């Protein structure tokens, strides 16, 4: 992040204001609403919130109504937000934060739902997403919270989780998403021990105890253009891996399981979930290819790497191509305390050593299970986006947030042309730009015919602005900026809709 930054300071309230200061010219035809979500509340009373995972979600809306820009922000009124506000301090067990009171106060508690990771528009219904639980539905105009949703009863399992990362199928307009579903394997002791005694009985009993640990499967859902969600299938995971995102081809839903594991015994409350993370050595990474129409999941083993997000995936003959920012296998080497690791800045993308950089990578998975890979950019980047109309098929352009302190002083955005390999980079020093969002020009259908919009923080004046770029001219800088008189803290993910919020 920017040195000495106040980027992570709390925003000074909830606003609904016209943006008075616009530099450059807002493009004609660019109308709609950019929604963003992120950890927005870094202090509750006098207690700081120390983890990005546990800070309450704040949804922002930049409304481009044809006449100008309006800004609005609201904290999601989750149960945690309401109760901790009333108490004047954090009250829940987070992913990273423990409740005061030791093991007794934390045992058998799952992390509180902070609704802080992304947003989704379903047929004019706005959802704030968080991967560890159910989504919260918000009013798309006022951003008021209606409450937690089970998507018409579609969400399964005791948690009903619905991830922060859905994928669009542009052929049908459907959005495919997943949620984790922890479960205990069913063991019929009477049947398993039937007819055996003595040492054999004791051996089987020992094996069964070893089997009786919590496991995780993914539940796959599809939401159609009417906003109706239906359950598709289950995808068992090899171990309690963290699966943050998914990709989609015409044939498959694709997941990556890296050697990052949650220790299920964190449930006993002795340490936080994040501090119970295990980064396994000598363990491969797996691609899981789950046929969308059902049937056995293909598990493909490859060299270890970590990742959080996908760019895209597509079928290419019998091959499957998957693109994503690849974290090196040594990224988490020796990390015992993940919270301390993140706070120390060590987990930032692109460290002092170029081999630490996160490399945008194309994997090709052959029908035999052979995996090859090639780098697609020579700078560190994350939060990849594409023209959503190219989802599930080959795309020529990726848009990324550049995070490479070795090569660039600022954190900006870039466009990578995969036909030539050329990158267009815009990284003004002293600025932090978030995940870029591609907006197609109405009536156009060429892949780079449109705009890229993002939110940029300027450290020198401690303020943020909506930034609009011509998608084909990222290196030329923004064509328009709509400046807020204050800053907006880091947000992770967002979505643009052509619907103009009222
Ligand atoms: Fe994410």
């Amino acid at each position: 992040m920017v040195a000495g930054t106040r980027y992570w300071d709390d925003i000074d309230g909830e606003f609904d204001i016209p943006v008075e200061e616009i530099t450059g010219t807002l493009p004609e035809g660019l109308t709609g609403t950019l929604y963003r979500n992120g950890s927005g509340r870094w202090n509750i009373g006098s207690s700081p919130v120390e983890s990005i995972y546990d800070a309450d979600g704040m949804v922002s809306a930049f409304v481009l109504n044809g006449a100008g820009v309006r800004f609005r922000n609201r904290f999601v009124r989750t149960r945690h937000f309401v109760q901790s506000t009333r108490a004047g301090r954090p009250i829940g067990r987070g992913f990273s934060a423990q409740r005061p009171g030791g093991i007794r106060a934390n045992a058998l508690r799952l992390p509180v739902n902070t609704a802080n990771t992304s947003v989704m528009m379903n047929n004019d219904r706005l959802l704030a997403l968080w991967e560890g639980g159910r989504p919260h539905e918000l009013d798309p105009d006022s951003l008021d919270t209606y409450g937690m949703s089970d998507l018409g009863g579609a969400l399964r399992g005791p948690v009903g989780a619905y991830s922060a990362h859905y994928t669009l199928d542009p052929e049908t307009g459907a959005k495919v998403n997943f949620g984790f579903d922890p479960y205990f394997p069913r063991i019929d002791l009477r049947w398993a021990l039937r007819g055996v005694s003595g040492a054999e009985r004791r051996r089987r009993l020992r094996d069964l105890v070893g089997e009786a640990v919590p496991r995780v499967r993914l539940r796959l859902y599809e939401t159609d253009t009417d906003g109706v969600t239906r359950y598709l299938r289950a995808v068992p995971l090899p171990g309690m891996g963290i699966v943050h995102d998914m990709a989609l081809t015409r044939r498959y839903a694709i997941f990556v399981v890296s050697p990052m594991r949650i220790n299920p015994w964190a449930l006993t409350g002795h340490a936080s979930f994040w501090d119970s993370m295990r980064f396994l050595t000598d363990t491969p990474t797996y691609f899981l290819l789950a046929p969308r129409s059902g049937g056995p999941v293909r598990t493909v083993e490859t060299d270890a790497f970590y990742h959080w997000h996908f760019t895209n995936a597509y079928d290419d003959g019998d091959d499957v191509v998957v693109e994503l920012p690849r974290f090196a296998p040594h990224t988490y080497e020796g990390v015992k305390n993940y919270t301390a690791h993140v706070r120390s800045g060590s987990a930032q993308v692109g460290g002092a050593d170029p081999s630490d950089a996160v490399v945008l990578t194309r994997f090709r998975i052959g029908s035999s299970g052979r995996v090859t890979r090639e780098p697609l950019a020579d700078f560190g980047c994350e939060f990849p986006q594409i023209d959503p109309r190219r989802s599930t098929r080959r795309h020529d352009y990726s848009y990324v947030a550049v995070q490479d302190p070795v090569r660039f002083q600022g954190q900006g955005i870039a466009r990578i042309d995969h036909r030539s390999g050329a990158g267009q980079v815009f990284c003004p020093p002293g600025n932090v730009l978030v995940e870029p969002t591609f907006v197609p020009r109405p009536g156009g259908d060429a892949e780079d015919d449109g705009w890229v919009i993002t939110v940029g923080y300027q450290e020198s004046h401690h303020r943020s602005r909506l930034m609009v770029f011509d998608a084909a001219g990222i290196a030329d800088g923004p064509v328009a900026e709509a400046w807020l008189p204050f800053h907006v803290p880091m947000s992770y993910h967002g979505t643009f809709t052509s619907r103009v919020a009222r």
Side-chain angles (χ1 to χ4, degrees), residues 23 379-381 398-404 407-416 422-436 452-458 465-481 483:
T23 51
F379 49 83
C381 59
S398 296
Y399 309 95
V400 294
V402 179
Q403 298 177 350
D404 190 334
R407 293 191 51 183
F408 303 105
Q409 286 180 303
Q411 291 185 25
I413 61 169
R415 166 194 190 258
I416 299 153
Q424 280 197 38
V425 179
F426 181 77
C427 283
N431 283 260
V432 183
L433 277 56
V434 299
E435 167 195 74
V452 165
I453 55 178
T454 185
V455 180
Y457 170 71
Q458 184 190 52
R465 74 282 200 192
L466 175 74
M467 306 175 80
V468 181
F469 296 76
D470 265 331
I474 297 294
D476 299 335
V479 296
E481 294 173 280
W483 292 85

Side-chain angles (χ1 to χ4, degrees), residues 259 280-281 303-306 326-333 355 373:
L280 307 179
T281 51
D303 297 342
F305 69 90
Y306 296 100
R326 174 187 179 275
F327 284 61
H330 62 264
T331 301
Y332 299 109
E333 217 163 73
S355 74
R373 65 179 157 93

Side-chain angles (χ1 to χ4, degrees), residues 161-215:
Y162 191 68
S163 161
H165 285 286
Y166 58 90
T167 304
L168 174 72
D169 181 342
E171 284 188 29
T172 61
K175 296 182 181 102
V176 178
N177 199 2
F178 67 98
F180 86 97
D181 179 17
Y183 68 102
F184 275 96
R186 259 190 222 149
I187 295 171
D188 187 333
L189 264 185
R190 271 187 319 175
W191 178 256
L193 300 177
R194 199 171 172 180
V196 290
S197 58
E200 174 61 12
R201 186 184 175 86
R202 284 195 295 277
R203 189 190 66 74
R204 279 204 197 175
L205 203 52
R206 251 195 332 266
D207 288 351
L208 288 171
V209 169
E211 289 284 301
V213 293
R215 296 182 187 183

Side-chain angles (χ1 to χ4, degrees), residues 225-243:
T225 50
D226 292 327
V228 177
T229 303
R230 69 186 178 101
Y231 172 68
L232 294 179
R233 63 167 299 157
V235 181
L237 289 188
M240 291 196 82
I242 300 262
V243 176

Side-chain angles (χ1 to χ4, degrees), residues 117 165 244 309 383 493:
T117 315
H165 285 286
H244 180 68
H309 300 114
F383 298 103
H493 300 293

